[in-house]
Amino acid sequence: MKIIFLGAPGAGKGTLAEIVSKKYDIPTISTGNIIRESLKNGTEMGLKAKSFIEAGKLVPDEVVIGIIKERLAKGDCEKGFILDGFPRTIPQAEALEEMGVVIDKVVDIEVSEDIITYRMSGRRVCAQCGSSYHIADKKPKVDGVCDNCGGELVQRSDDKPETVRDRLAVYHEQTEPLIGFYEGKGNLKKVYCQNDLAENTAAVFKALEEKA
């Protein structure tokens, strides 16, 4: 199954994608994580991305798309995958189609902005492997230490309350139009989430198992 998770920053896409990934035994492909992996491995696209990152610029679409293409060509994607954080714009979605990638389901995670602000301000991320935690809702076994790799947990600058509103505004402007784009394809399912992870998870699996 080839799946896209849509939703505002802090909607819980990463957590839900991790659960779905384990059940279906397919990889979750997070744009941020694979850019970091490409940088570490020194791939051609990773080196291109590095030049923009070091200049303090956004990595342009063609480089992000190249990195996604490299990742989707790996053997573990043969049975399917989950895209989390890509596409972010309609041009990126169109580029995905041009690559010949047929998406089975697009799950739009709908969450109130009050809940998003709470989640993002409490989120902590592993500086080494990128695993995500929350100071109240998803605590690590040892305070400030990643369960997976032992790395230090940090608050990303873009998770600080003062930047959340700006990130949401960018989402509404650039990414939200994808909802209409995929509704037009007939493969979009909306899931309205609250703070209960078990209920949210059940709703996502129901959406994935329903016929388009």
Side-chain angles (χ1 to χ4, degrees), residues 61-87:
D61 273 4
E62 61 267 24
V63 177
V64 175
I65 290 160
I67 288 171
I68 292 285
K69 195 171 184 178
E70 283 180 345
R71 182 65 185 86
L72 295 184
K74 292 191 176 179
D76 63 343
C77 292
E78 285 180 4
K79 292 193 297 180
F81 50 79
I82 302 163
L83 288 174
D84 170 18
F86 182 91

Side-chain angles (χ1 to χ4, degrees), residues 124-133 146 149-154:
R124 299 294 182 269
V125 176
C126 176
Q128 285 188 38
C129 75
S131 295
S132 186
Y133 300 85
C146 176
C149 73
E152 180 190 3
L153 301 185
V154 298

Side-chain angles (χ1 to χ4, degrees), residues 175-205:
T175 307
E176 206 167 47
L178 285 169
I179 296 170
F181 178 86
Y182 284 114
E183 276 179 332
K185 305 284 180 188
N187 58 358
L188 183 107
K189 294 285 182 181
K190 288 194 176 194
V191 176
Y192 296 89
C193 292
Q194 298 297 320
N195 261 334
D196 187 275
L197 181 58
E199 287 181 13
N200 296 345
T201 302
V204 166
F205 279 123

Side-chain angles (χ1 to χ4, degrees), residues 35 48-60:
I35 286 175
K48 284 184 180 177
K50 185 179 181 182
S51 65
F52 289 97
I53 291 166
E54 287 180 345
K57 297 176 181 176
L58 288 174
V59 180

Side-chain angles (χ1 to χ4, degrees), residues 79-133:
K79 292 193 297 180
F81 50 79
I82 302 163
L83 288 174
D84 170 18
F86 182 91
R88 288 185 189 272
T89 63
I90 287 176
Q92 287 184 355
E94 290 170 342
L96 197 61
E97 288 188 339
E98 286 165 15
M99 283 161 54
V101 177
V102 178
I103 299 297
D104 299 304
K105 287 283 175 70
V106 180
V107 181
D108 175 38
I109 310 293
E110 294 277 341
V111 181
S112 79
E113 293 201 356
D114 286 345
I115 291 175
I116 284 173
T117 302
Y118 164 79
R119 284 180 181 171
M120 290 177 72
S121 60
R123 182 159 62 185
R124 299 294 182 269
V125 176
C126 176
Q128 285 188 38
C129 75
S131 295
S132 186
Y133 300 85

Side-chain angles (χ1 to χ4, degrees), residues 36-51:
R36 282 190 288 273
E37 187 182 328
S38 296
L39 289 171
K40 188 172 76 174
N41 295 337
T43 68
E44 181 187 349
M45 287 296 170
L47 293 171
K48 284 184 180 177
K50 185 179 181 182
S51 65

